[in-house]
Amino acid sequence: MGTSILMVGLLFLLSFVNGLKVSGQAASSPPTAADLLQVAASLQMYVDELPDMPKINGYTSHKGRPRAAHLTIGMFEKKWKFHRDLTATTVFAFGMSSTAATVPGPTILTLQNVPTYITWENHLPSTHILPWDPTILNAIPKTGGVPTAVHLHGGIDEPQSDGSPFAWFTADFNQTGPAWTTQTYTYLNDLQPPGNIFYHDHALGITRVNLIAGLFGGYLITDPVTESRLNLPSGSFDRLIMIFDRSFNKDGSLYLNYTGVNPPVHPQWQPEYFGDAIIVNGKAWPFMNVQPRKYRFRIASVANARYFRLSLSNGLNFTQIASDYSYLPHPVVVSSILLSPAEGADVIIDFSKSSGEVLLQNDAPYPYPSGNAVDSLNSKVMKFVIQSPNASVVDRSVVPKSLVTYPKPVTTGIAKTRYLGLYEYSTNGLVTHLYINGKRLTDPATETPVPGSTEVWKIINLTQDDHPLHLHLAMFQAIEQRGLVNVDQFTACMNITYDPIKCNISTYAQGPLFPIPPTEMTWKNIVKMAPGNITTVVVKFGYVHKNASYPFDSTAEPGYVYHCHILDHEDNEMIRPLKMAASTPPTAADLLQVAASLQMYVDELPDMPKINGYSSSEGRPVPANLTIGMFEKKWKFHRDLPATTVFAFGMSSTTATVPGPTILSLQNVPTYITWENHLPSNHILPWDPTILTAIPKTGGVATVVHLHGGVDEPESDGNPFAWFTADFNQTGPAWTKPTYTYLNDIQPPGNIFYHDHALGLTRLNIFAGLFGGYLVSDSATEGCLNLPSSSFDRLIMIFDRSFNKDGSLYMNYTGVNPPIHPHWQPEYFGDAIIVNGKAWPFMNVQVRKYRFRIVNVANARYFRLSLSSGLKFTQIASDYSYLPQPVVLSSILLAPAEGADVIIDFSKSSGEVLLQNDAPYPYPSGNAVDSLNTKVMKFVIQSQNAPVVDLSVVPKSIVTYPKPVTTGIARTRFLGLYEYSTNGLVTHLYINGKRFTDPATETPVPGSTEIWKIINLTHDDHPLHLHLAMFQAIERRGLVNTDQFTACMNTTYDPIKCNISSYAQGPLFPIPPSEMTWKNIVKMAPGNMTTAVVKFGYVHKNASYPFDPTAEPGYIYHCHILDHEDNEMMRPLKLVW
């Protein structure tokens, strides 16, 4: 077992042990249910008075006018008395100081339209006080600490202040999650109506644990103009009460299970937490002395999983005036109120209509609605003790006939109707996890509404439990709840398709209609989803109380989430991203229109900045040590296109470019480069977590740099598993060091390039801009050639991109086969052709010869380049090494990552010369080029007043390297290239039917030469690239009876068993003279067997590698269509002695 694997295992083990480690935990056997019940039963009810939680004003005043306040509220570990007779309990609590911290936390009083700024500080210890489960998606700090993230439940706030689960932070902000951006959150308090919301922890995977520990508190938004006229009970007669349940160990400590319901899958997680003691405002079964008058109670359930169906003894009723979010239009008198976790009800109780004692009771089964009946403990909540009438107490408050009217939900002008399925999964009858629409939190967002829009969501609950759905940012309201019929049959279909339309939902949504309770006929932030029902809600992504736009960018990162608010469900994947989209996804016509609007040939071709990969000492070249970073920045691809957010290489953010700077190195003079990642916590492009991908645990963009064509030690090769995030905060299992060594002595002088190579993200990172040129020069060899040089020697890197109207890069959000891969597509083709970072640029040239080192850095597009005006290319080198003699060509075919070094003599033409492309896409049998992608760039030949002196030449002979030989071959290998699909849609591509992570089967000996026979069984051409090795095609032969042969190969994966010699009988295709040299890309034509000689050593001198090529992490080889490479058309290449 490798060291890296051992380390991964060790880290997981440490995480698991740490998850079960609890500070101060006694070393004894876990308490039984009877033990816990006994502790709760020993606590006498109604002996502690109901606390009125401390209040903090979220505003200040200046000259009698309210102004924004800046608060600092911390999270502290402290002792808390939940009951007179219970030993003080260690808790986590919010407060302005440790002394003042409480459970629940202080109530923050805010005013509508007056912002509140809160710096949330984490002062918690390095170890949690409760057990947690590292096998679910968790915030796990690298160096310990309790992660926290504060969400204002019901707040409508900018994404950066929403408290994303990935925006966690530890004590002193020592470690932060991938979505963390700011210490101070902004709460504008103007978007939501006046009402009762609350703040609570929202850290990834441990929300349930942190709330059990005590991290929640009230947040009230008041609108004096609206509310003063209502004349509701106020002052000491207006109380917030937060109800939850807890179990305690005998020593008073909080109890949370150590063993999960399904330990082989999740050692600690259980699907619901139910405590034996009912707690109100931090006291178990408290009492409250009340006057015989009206009181207002803002009730919030902050239990993890328990529903409360509240009622009053002595025949008293509630008069409900508001929901968990906004006022009702009229008061509603009810005898009971059903509250799910995180749901609230704003009620008036008139104690003048009773006397003596009134109990607040609960009779909700748990889990709700079909679980256990309540017992003598959890059926009691608290007691109101009505005092004797006090003549001095005059109750002038009223229950108004009407309250506040908001626009009703309408279903006309709906932007979109969405279906959501709620699923519960199990093994051996034991729950393992819960999903929405069969997707994980980390799967790409599928709910992408437009700000200001209204949508209809139809939520289908296929589980046995009621689920309280909560949407961040949005306000919503149920308009219909209907039972399903033949639920088992429908569920069986949904478990296969996850598509209610395909499952014919209309046939099953034929059950009884259940009326929406009048108390819920208002805008809410929690709507209960009954089991076996389809609940239709209208969702408003904007204001409901005024017609105005969001005063912030709701489409910004890290976006929002929506989830079930049973915390145990939310923590185990019943949560999904909610990504606001600037507009509906662009169509192909939209993208084409953007590209077509860009006038061609208005931007001059840039000459990318150059960095010397060497320095000098006493007139001699010596190695250089460079530091090159990767930065997020804006880049102008065209004069008329808004600046585009890109990732770019450079010595600094200011100097970073797309492509990156060209590194000029000298043969036999090493270059040392420290590649630094300064990228943000989130990618600028969508990615697909269902393919093998580098996914940093705490966020960040994974990168690793490969020198394409470099022959370097394994540690400096840029293995896909050697990825790292910003500041090397997280690294992949194959990462070894930050500084790479490029000896520059093994490859011939020539044109190679560097690019990102992170696992499963290469196509995205290169698409974002992470590539640049690297030229190896040898003055001894090249000086005598007298080729065009200096400003007449240009590197041009060609690629394609599509852009959104705002100038941002477009990459598809939907895959070709979404049920398998929601985002991945087999090839990316852009509408605009980019050269050196400019769309269709021009270059002014003189009447003379120019050298162009052309590199195709497109993801998947082949370029078959030609020149107008009858000009030809004179090719002098391939993508790797010089040709023995120049080759004159009318066109050059370049695969992705392939290059051609050419001379163009503009003295043989005049005026304007177009560089053109006519390669079908995908190549060779795809779409014909159109009016956009057929153009590449324009050369404008300048008129000269005097003759141009051009001393450069096209030499008759260039550089001769040993030819490939087939004698003394160490081994002959057969490789098959396969494409797989379901329902005719591509799912993945393999080499020899194997995955990238399968053990290496290509294990050559250093210094050896092998024959590789590559059989392409797909319809596309594939550019094969080998790390470390140099290779050259010597034969290309068509296959006969291809379908028959493919059928055999799909069964055996063995060309010998399939009698390859019988099928390799097609025509021989000549190897083009321009490819008769050592290369790092060889094109594999479809339906052909290409024979290549592969050299695992030098070709230009007889010497051994100056490093150990057998070291870890080894090398790889792959198709260089990046979309194929990222989806498994890549294999390990492990050299062995």
Side-chain angles (χ1 to χ4, degrees), residues 671-732:
T671 301
Y672 303 98
I673 304 180
T674 301
W675 301 103
E676 291 186 342
N677 181 334
H678 300 284
L679 299 176
S681 56
N682 291 299
H683 213 291
I684 58 174
L685 296 169
W687 52 277
D688 196 324
T690 64
I691 64 176
L692 185 65
T693 300
I695 304 178
K697 222 168 191 182
T698 57
V701 176
T703 61
V704 65
V705 182
H706 168 59
L707 181 56
H708 177 100
V711 182
D712 303 298
E713 62 180 3
E715 301 91 334
S716 299
D717 185 61
N719 185 284
F721 287 102
W723 56 264
F724 55 97
T725 59
D727 300 322
F728 302 101
N729 184 46
Q730 298 171 86
T731 57

Side-chain angles (χ1 to χ4, degrees), residues 223-245:
D223 175 12
V225 175
T226 300
E227 297 179 285
S228 59
R229 66 173 176 80
L230 300 179
N231 198 21
L232 298 167
S234 59
S236 60
F237 308 108
D238 178 0
R239 295 288 292 271
L240 171 68
I241 59 176
M242 306 189 86
I243 308 174
F244 50 105
D245 55 338

Side-chain angles (χ1 to χ4, degrees), residues 787-794 843 845-846 848-852 948-950 952:
L787 298 167
S789 60
S790 188
S791 61
F792 308 107
D793 177 1
R794 296 287 292 270
M843 178 182 174
V845 295
Q846 295 183 24
R848 59 155 293 154
K849 293 184 288 297
Y850 279 75
R851 179 181 184 177
F852 292 103
V948 174
V949 178
D950 181 7
S952 67

Side-chain angles (χ1 to χ4, degrees), residues 1044-1063:
Q1044 185 181 51
F1045 178 65
T1046 301
C1048 177
M1049 288 287 282
N1050 281 333
T1051 305
T1052 66
Y1053 298 104
D1054 188 330
I1056 304 301
K1057 288 183 179 177
C1058 290
N1059 196 12
I1060 178 62
S1061 59
S1062 299
Y1063 297 96

